[in-house]
Amino acid sequence: MEVTGKIKMIDQTKEVGSGGFKKRDIVVTTDEQYPQHILVQFVQDKCDLLNGFQVGEPVKIDINLRGREWTNPQGETVYFNTIQGWRIAKAQGDAPAAQAPPMPAAQAFAPATNLNEEDADDLPF
């Protein structure tokens, strides 16, 4: 799966827990009728992939959806979802992905002068 849009925010790399787990968040605003602000998390060695990017840049991020289950101290089971990025690239901007070659200009035709409106029309519509 992928998310495309403009970078709204890039956070610093943070270490979580005592095991040296690293994470870095980025927020991408989609370009659609109702724009969404999507938080994508990069972890461990993937955190460095965000170094060359800046706020306002259009990007395409390849993602995986992650989910996990956790039982809190009260015995309740809670579920968490994470959108995890694994690749990021600069988007092509507003240019379409595939563009047809330009059509040559149509040649001008002289208006028809030999019309006979009483001839039968053989078109089915």
Side-chain angles (χ1 to χ4, degrees):
M1 289 186 266
E2 66 183 41
V3 173
T4 58
K6 286 190 178 178
I7 298 174
K8 181 177 178 121
M9 185 275 301
I10 301 176
D11 204 1
Q12 298 298 316
T13 301
K14 297 178 182 172
E15 278 200 39
V16 181
S18 59
F21 181 79
K22 294 188 310 183
K23 71 174 192 165
R24 190 169 183 191
D25 294 336
I26 182 172
V27 175
V28 175
T29 303
T30 62
D31 184 23
E32 52 195 347
Q33 183 177 1
Y34 301 105
Q36 302 296 306
H37 306 286
I38 308 295
L39 175 74
V40 180
Q41 191 175 85
F42 285 77
V43 297
Q44 299 300 82
D45 61 332
K46 302 295 184 190
C47 294
D48 294 336
L49 295 177
L50 301 178
N51 289 344
F53 294 91
Q54 298 176 353
V55 171
E57 261 186 306
V59 292
K60 178 183 94 163
I61 302 175
D62 292 305
I63 62 167
N64 291 323
L65 294 177
R66 299 285 184 211
R68 63 185 185 280
E69 178 181 274
W70 177 66
T71 304
N72 67 19
Q74 292 77 29
E76 301 168 326
T77 302
V78 182
Y79 296 91
F80 296 94
N81 294 321
T82 305
I83 300 172
Q84 194 173 85
W86 55 274
R87 181 170 49 196
I88 183 170
K90 294 182 183 186
Q92 298 300 321
D94 297 331
Q99 189 171 7
M103 293 292 293
Q107 304 239 345
F109 292 98
T113 56
N114 60 348
L115 290 178
N116 182 355
E117 293 189 23
E118 302 199 8
D119 285 343
D121 185 1
D122 63 345
L123 294 176
F125 48 87

